[in-house]
Amino acid sequence: MKKLYLSKDNKKFLGVCAGIAKYFDLDPTLIRVLFVVLALVTVVMPMVIAYFILYFVLPEDPGNRSMLSRKPHA
């Protein structure tokens, strides 16, 4: 079963669009362009609010941790 996560590898801002792109197996640039177009059509605020809600609701991808984001063992 696929799950929707925030992307940490391919993020430009907070990783929401890249996470959605990975979930649907699409190019992240396509999702980003679609987001901008929808934001312009909906007078920006609904899409910005939706973006931040997704950022706070979606978990980070557990399989996308780089060496820099890992905490050292004690």
Side-chain angles (χ1 to χ4, degrees):
M1 182 175 173
K2 288 172 43 171
K3 288 190 134 189
L4 182 59
Y5 293 107
L6 294 173
S7 175
K8 291 297 173 189
D9 288 344
N10 195 6
K11 70 178 186 175
K12 294 293 180 192
F13 180 55
L14 296 174
V16 174
C17 291
I20 292 170
K22 184 174 181 180
Y23 181 81
F24 288 109
D25 197 28
L26 297 170
D27 183 24
T29 304
L30 176 69
I31 300 299
R32 291 180 186 116
V33 169
L34 184 62
F35 175 82
V36 169
V37 168
L38 285 173
L40 293 174
V41 169
T42 62
V43 192
V44 180
M45 283 312 292
M47 291 301 290
V48 171
I49 291 169
Y51 188 91
F52 281 104
I53 288 172
L54 286 172
Y55 173 71
F56 287 113
V57 171
L58 295 178
E60 290 183 10
D61 189 353
N64 265 356
R65 306 228 174 180
S66 68
M67 291 302 290
L68 296 176
S69 66
R70 291 186 182 164
K71 294 181 181 174
H73 297 304

